[in-house]
Amino acid sequence: MVSENDLLIEVKDLRKEFKVLKKNPGLAGALRSLFSRNYQIIEAIKDISFSIHQGELVGYVGPNGAGKSTTIKILCGILFPTSGIIKVAGFTPSIDRRKFAMKLGVMFGQRTQLWWDLPVSESFDLLKSIYKIEINAYRKNLEFFNDIFGLSEFWGQPVRRLSLGQRVRADLAAALIHDPNVLLLDEPTIGLDVLARSRFRELIKMVNREKKTTILLTSHDLGDIEMIVHRLILIDKGAVKYDGTLKKFLKDYGGQKNLLINFSSPPRIVRLPAGAEILNLKDNFLEIKIDTAHISYHDLLKVLPKWGNVIDIQLESDSLETILSDLYKK
Amino acid sequence: METFIKWAFKSFQRNLAYRLEYFVSIFNALLYIFIFTSVWKALFPETGTRFGMSRQLMINYAVFVTLIKTTLVKSRDLIGERVRSGEIALDLIKPFPLPLMTLADAIGSVIFQIFSRSIPLILVSVLIFHITSPAGMDSFFFLSYLLAFLIFNSILFIFGVASFYITENFPLWLLNSAGISLLSGSIIPLEILPVVVRKIALFTPYPYIFYIPTMKLLRNEYPIDYAILRQVLCLCITYGIGLAMYQAGKRRLQIQGG
């Protein structure tokens, strides 16, 4: 059970506007804009509210331009909100930024906080001073992260010589070395290959389990979300569209499933029930898309023997990617 | 303080990382000394003075101003580059203020330049240009040099933080370079500039970076106490402007990238 005392991130009626230059088209427009500049207000975040409790692992998803990264930057305290209330670990990030920084770990997938030209060890040595980490705690954490991230493999190498996978592991350890209460991950697996991505997902889950770190993750790789998080916040056009468990989301929105049926001889389809649609029929194989809002599996299974002798049935559910891509299109 | 010293030390280490850059910059500085000493040799008579300066004084000026410039000038706009790439986000999330970060970075870089570049340049200058120990090498010079470093760093901070407002601050960076070239005495001593330009120059921070420490080094009788007072005033103004721009700019900053 979670209590109000466990509340770690609280976002209420968050709004963020950007003033951007409106470019006039063509050469004449470009020349005109030298002397007369028109600005327009872009509403990156319209109205976002959510709260996250201690130890939660939350996926924050949405299409490009939905406002995910803007929210992360506001939660870090590096962007100022236009209006709304934001509390993270008891601090208002944009106001108490330096004090709050001690409680926060951040990783931006395409950027590194490590010193590019120096060995990995030097960056960690500097982080130890920046975050004023007590020597025993530093050694203990380093040992922990070395065990799970394998830092010793590349500890003495300059960051510019690391592979992307190694760099991401080092960056993740760097974001966690001071034992932050909150870890914000913005597209952390971008550019990683399948193996490195899978390892990264395991590491995140392990950190959440072992250190009880609260993690908010944004990723366009929905595999990350499916494999890592328990709770999903879906935003679109700067507003929250869904906030709840991943399981419930898949159940509520993933209504369409495909059935792959193998008959002993070509099936004779007498009457197709409402909510079922034939996707493919070849020899003994039949692929049907079913909408569970209109027909249950039970009813469909009762119909199948009338079409022929069923040998095998396979069920393919909509992936999170398919569900979200359908939702984004709406 | 520990973080500040460590940061400066890392900056020093980073400067050691690239050998080619190190040798090219020494060669570059030697080339500058050679060009300017040749120009002054051609323009100044062997005996007598022009604009109150002798040929040897001008040669010495060219050598020492280039030495000071080599130690202070940075070709990188650290803040501007990081704003354009969005990496400034990673600096701002740290519990260590950006102005101190840039200062520590600059100190590490200057210490590296002093020890690694100045010594070979001084040796070559003694052998080729017959430079002798300057008359004004005393504690006032070192104080003036320290203030020059801080003023220069404050100016770079102002131009860097300008990128919080306009993102693409390259034109301002060019303007700063032009200001340094014309008004700081890094190429032409202020005595040789037209009176109007000289008067304008004294209302800008530039002469307090290169001209004043170099003149103190070369002319023991230079009124350094008054010059140091002006350097302190200049530092207060540039530092104040930089800090105010930084505080206000944080609210305007738009971090690039998703």
Side-chain angles (χ1 to χ4, degrees), chain A residues 30-54:
Chain A
L31 287 172
R32 202 163 55 241
S33 67
L34 281 177
F35 303 100
S36 138
R37 297 170 85 78
N38 294 319
Y39 291 93
Q40 60 179 356
I41 301 292
I42 302 282
E43 225 176 7
I45 296 174
K46 280 179 190 158
D47 175 25
I48 284 184
S49 299
F50 60 83
S51 51
I52 296 175
H53 291 83
Q54 176 82 47

Side-chain angles (χ1 to χ4, degrees), chain A residues 3 11 31 43 53 62 70 82 98 104 129 135 142 144 172 178 181-182 191 230 250 275 284 302-303 312 329:
Chain A
S3 71
V11 176
L31 287 172
E43 225 176 7
H53 291 83
T70 305
T82 305
R98 273 175 56 201
L104 176 76
S129 298
I135 187 73
L142 215 51
F144 175 79
L172 184 58
H178 57 291
N181 302 47
V182 183
H230 312 123
L250 291 171
N284 302 350
K302 278 200 288 189
V303 176
D312 186 33
K329 280 177 204 158

Side-chain angles (χ1 to χ4, degrees), chain A residues 19 69 73 78-80 97-98 101-102 106 111-113 115 117 122 125-126 129-131 160 186, chain B residues 2-3 6-7 10 13-14 18 85 89-90 92-95 97 250-251 253-258:
Chain A
K19 187 179 165 191
S69 291
K73 284 165 193 159
I78 50 178
L79 281 187
F80 285 66
R97 199 166 48 82
R98 273 175 56 201
M102 305 297 264
V106 185
R111 293 168 192 143
T112 179
Q113 64 165 314
W115 283 52
D117 308 305
E122 299 289 346
D125 180 46
L126 191 62
S129 298
I130 290 175
Y131 289 101
R160 65 188 144 89
D186 192 7
Chain B
E2 187 203 338
T3 309
K6 259 193 190 168
W7 198 292
K10 304 290 176 207
Q13 277 178 281
R14 192 180 51 196
Y18 298 103
S85 69
L90 293 161
L92 294 175
I93 55 166
K94 292 199 171 70
K250 279 193 290 185
R251 297 192 77 92
L253 184 62
Q254 291 186 16
I255 295 173
Q256 304 299 305

Side-chain angles (χ1 to χ4, degrees), chain A residues 269-302:
Chain A
I269 299 163
V270 184
R271 190 178 62 84
L272 200 62
E277 182 193 338
I278 295 174
L279 292 179
N280 199 8
L281 173 61
K282 196 176 178 192
D283 302 329
N284 302 350
F285 293 96
L286 171 68
E287 192 179 357
I288 302 181
K289 186 162 100 177
I290 59 166
D291 186 347
T292 47
H294 293 97
I295 180 170
S296 69
Y297 297 119
H298 185 255
D299 291 340
L300 189 73
L301 288 173
K302 278 200 288 189

